[in-house]
Amino acid sequence: MLMPEPDREVIARKRDLVDRLRAIVPGEGVIVDEEELRAYETDGLTAYRQLPLIVVLPETTQQVSDVLKLAQAEGVKVVPRGAGTSLSGGALPLADGILLGLGKFNRILEVDFDNRCAVVQPGVTNLGITKAVEHAGFYYAPDPSSQIACSIGGNVAENSGGVHCLKYGLTTNNLLGLEAVLIDGTVIRIGGKHLESETYDLLGLLTGSEGLLAVVTEVTVRLLKKPETARALLLGFETSEAAGDAVAGIIAAGVIPAGIEMMDKPAIHAAEDFVHAGYPRDVEALLIVELDGPAAEVEHLIRTVQGICEAKGATYVRASESEEERLAFWAGRKAAFPAVGRISPDYYCMDGTIPRRQLPIVLQRMRELSSHYGLRVANVFHAGDGNLHPLILYDANTPGELEKAEDFGSDILKLCVEVGGVLTGEHGVGVEKRDLMGTMFDEVDLKTQQRVKCAFDPQHLLNPGKVFPQLHRCAELGRMHIHKGKMPFPDLPRF
């Protein structure tokens, strides 16, 4: 995966940059020792590694502003980084860039139960928000499997999802406001505790922008009241196709569960060996369906979903009878990624989204691709919203296997687009899917997106090398076509 060619002139000025950065962030806030830089050389996509030029760990918004001002003045690239759990290489450092770590922004600034929101710094963990408010019966809905470690700022950058996003939405549906710093050091505030903005949806624009537009320094999130009742169903099927049909049947019946998750046999066995959640071992596919709300409604929905799934061929049905049992069902699913790590030296976690009705077809095609490449695959995904997470198992020490895993993953993502889906549901594009953007967008689409980048960061200093397969200069994108010496729309005033 090729990254922008390092600027040797910037690297030559490293000592001067370090001195100036230490004047902004004193003490241990600037890291240059090679061994200490190793901690930042990769993110969750560990196949790619690169030592950053310098790591800076600011503690205040003013320090972030001053660092970005310096970077712009000196033409130095900046890679924002949260907890480093990105699975698309979104936080991969640059050899000639500053890695700006937001780990010290780890305080919950305000909890406002009356307005059902919390104001937090971007380094607060996703699960940390729920832990801070659960005593009052509230929680933060988006819950990626990495919620114990991933930070809320990274969730904003990637528009992260989770097992309950089918009903309660992605990160973007649970944000109310942001404080962010632009590349020139300007601090902006978007939104707040109120529900809607009266202007352009800049909050939506920054959410999922993968660190290319601004550095988030404060987040206002929506809090939800914990449902009166929540119960989960375990549903086993003889084929993955039957499980996929059951998912489509549940949604077609007008039932919107809090979450529908699916695991295939390799993932079921790995999770059960790791967590002992009580999963059946004699099924090819397992659905976890959670229903929540008033007790009477949940009881009705449990019977409805059970009936739909039995009609679709479910051979195993078990409903949670206690909160402990419900949490045990989810414990296996949330531990599936580390569990699969116990059965393979390495795995490559993919992320694509498809229309639900295409689940059976895509699962069949993935089995064919697995046979073609000679690599096993374990499927764990958010079946309710069609967000796939195939785990391609390989051994990086075996020559050629990483390349085969990448090609396998590329074919899966192309398949997602082919059946009407998209390249990413929540992990982002980063470097992993960057060179596949052309399969989903044409040149006009990509250039239009890059014009947004130019409006925020005309020098392309924030997280370059990510998302766009070919980055055009802003002057190129802003060129105006002159025909026979005349500008278009000559009657419009020019500024």
Side-chain angles (χ1 to χ4, degrees):
M1 184 64 65
L2 298 177
M3 295 298 288
E5 189 67 28
D7 188 330
R8 298 298 169 188
E9 192 271 331
V10 169
I11 295 173
R13 291 190 280 119
K14 177 177 178 178
R15 176 47 53 194
D16 176 63
L17 289 170
V18 168
D19 291 342
R20 296 175 68 180
L21 287 167
R22 281 179 171 157
I24 298 171
V25 185
E28 299 180 344
V30 178
I31 299 173
V32 294
D33 179 78
E34 182 174 330
E35 288 304 308
E36 294 176 348
L37 292 175
R38 291 281 172 202
Y40 300 91
E41 69 178 352
T42 188
D43 58 13
L45 185 63
T46 55
Y48 306 122
R49 297 174 184 271
Q50 171 61 58
L51 281 180
L53 181 67
I54 305 165
V55 171
V56 181
L57 305 175
E59 297 182 50
T60 68
T61 299
Q62 186 58 55
Q63 288 178 344
V64 173
S65 174
D66 290 343
V67 169
L68 293 182
K69 282 179 187 175
L70 174 63
Q72 186 188 54
E74 297 297 324
V76 180
K77 300 160 190 167
V78 178
V79 177
R81 177 187 172 105
T85 59
S86 167
L87 290 166
S88 63
L92 185 69
L94 298 170
D96 58 345
I98 296 168
L99 191 142
L100 189 68
L102 280 299
K104 292 187 177 182
F105 281 72
N106 56 10
R107 292 184 298 125
I108 295 177
L109 302 175
E110 181 187 3
V111 174
D112 184 347
F113 290 122
D114 290 338
N115 287 304
R116 297 198 173 193
C117 66
V119 182
V120 306
Q121 292 184 314
V124 173
T125 63
N126 178 291
L127 186 59
I129 299 176
T130 292
K131 291 292 185 184
V133 301
E134 63 184 359
H135 68 279
F138 286 84
Y139 72 111
Y140 178 60
D143 53 350
S145 296
S146 58
Q147 69 179 144
I148 193 172
C150 66
S151 60
I152 197 67
N155 290 176
V156 172
E158 305 292 355
N159 192 21
S160 300
V163 298
H164 289 101
C165 288
L166 174 60
K167 185 173 183 178
Y168 296 107
L170 300 163
T171 298
T172 189
N173 306 112
N174 291 274
L175 292 184
L176 294 172
L178 294 175
E179 177 189 83
V181 186
L182 305 180
I183 188 62
D184 66 357
T186 301
V187 179
I188 61 173
R189 281 191 171 274
I190 301 168
K193 293 183 180 181
H194 48 83
L195 184 61
E196 300 287 353
S197 170
E198 71 284 358
T199 58
Y200 292 120
D201 185 15
L202 296 178
L203 184 62
L205 183 64
L206 289 179
T207 306
S209 60
E210 303 198 32
L212 270 70
L213 305 182
V215 177
V216 172
T217 51
E218 185 182 290
V219 186
T220 302
V221 300
R222 187 194 311 271
L223 300 177
L224 297 183
K225 195 72 176 174
K226 187 177 179 181
E228 175 190 318
T229 303
R231 294 179 65 193
L233 277 167
L234 283 185
L235 301 147
F237 295 83
E238 292 183 350
T239 67
S240 294
E241 287 78 8
D245 282 339
V247 171
I250 292 168
I251 301 300
V255 179
I256 305 297
I260 307 179
E261 297 293 300
M262 182 170 166
M263 304 165 69
D264 66 4
K265 194 166 191 175
I268 295 166
H269 282 230
E272 182 62 16
D273 289 341
F274 187 39
V275 176
H276 308 295
Y279 292 167
R281 292 178 176 272
D282 59 346
V283 297
E284 290 295 325
L286 184 70
L287 293 183
I288 307 174
V289 181
E290 180 162 295
L291 293 310
D292 65 5
E297 179 187 4
V298 169
E299 185 62 36
H300 168 72
L301 292 175
I302 288 281
R303 292 195 301 270
T304 299
V305 170
Q306 181 175 334
I308 292 170
C309 291
E310 287 176 343
K312 296 290 186 179
T315 58
Y316 177 94
V317 179
R318 176 181 163 196
S320 65
E321 299 297 338
S322 67
E323 180 66 2
E324 291 72 25
E325 192 173 20
R326 182 185 74 86
L327 292 175
F329 289 179
W330 285 117
R333 164 60 184 91
K334 292 212 167 190
F337 286 12
V340 170
R342 300 171 76 233
I343 64 172
S344 176
D346 302 281
Y347 67 78
Y348 194 10
C349 178
M350 305 306 300
D351 163 54
T353 300
I354 62 171
R356 284 181 291 263
R357 68 180 184 278
Q358 300 287 4
L359 268 173
I361 295 170
V362 170
L363 291 171
Q364 174 60 35
R365 290 279 297 277
M366 278 200 284
R367 274 198 294 274
E368 294 169 2
L369 288 170
S370 175
S371 176
H372 171 75
Y373 284 102
L375 296 174
R376 294 177 297 160
V377 61
N379 279 296
V380 183
F381 54 89
H382 311 311
D385 47 14
N387 187 194
L388 310 181
H389 292 314
L391 306 178
I392 300 170
L393 313 185
Y394 72 100
D395 185 348
N397 292 321
T398 301
E401 281 218 348
L402 171 58
E403 290 73 20
K404 281 203 297 183
E406 289 180 313
D407 290 342
F408 187 177
S410 177
D411 283 348
I412 289 174
L413 294 174
K414 290 174 184 175
L415 173 61
C416 289
V417 174
E418 178 187 324
V419 300
V422 295
L423 291 173
T424 177
E426 56 175 333
H427 293 175
V429 175
V431 297
E432 176 205 23
K433 307 178 186 77
R434 181 194 66 192
D435 296 340
L436 292 172
M437 286 284 276
T439 66
M440 183 172 169
F441 300 105
D442 62 24
E443 187 177 0
V444 173
D445 294 329
L446 291 170
K447 285 185 175 180
T448 300
Q449 293 177 45
Q450 288 182 46
R451 286 186 176 94
V452 177
K453 166 72 168 169
C454 289
F456 282 82
D457 178 23
Q459 293 176 251
H460 296 322
L461 296 177
L462 281 173
N463 218 10
K466 318 291 173 62
V467 179
F468 298 115
Q470 179 183 359
L471 197 58
H472 296 271
R473 295 193 303 272
C474 291
E476 268 179 6
L477 293 170
R479 281 188 309 200
M480 186 177 294
H481 179 63
I482 306 296
H483 179 63
K484 294 185 177 180
K486 294 181 180 180
M487 292 189 298
F489 308 108
D491 54 320
L492 292 178
R494 307 288 172 180
F495 299 96

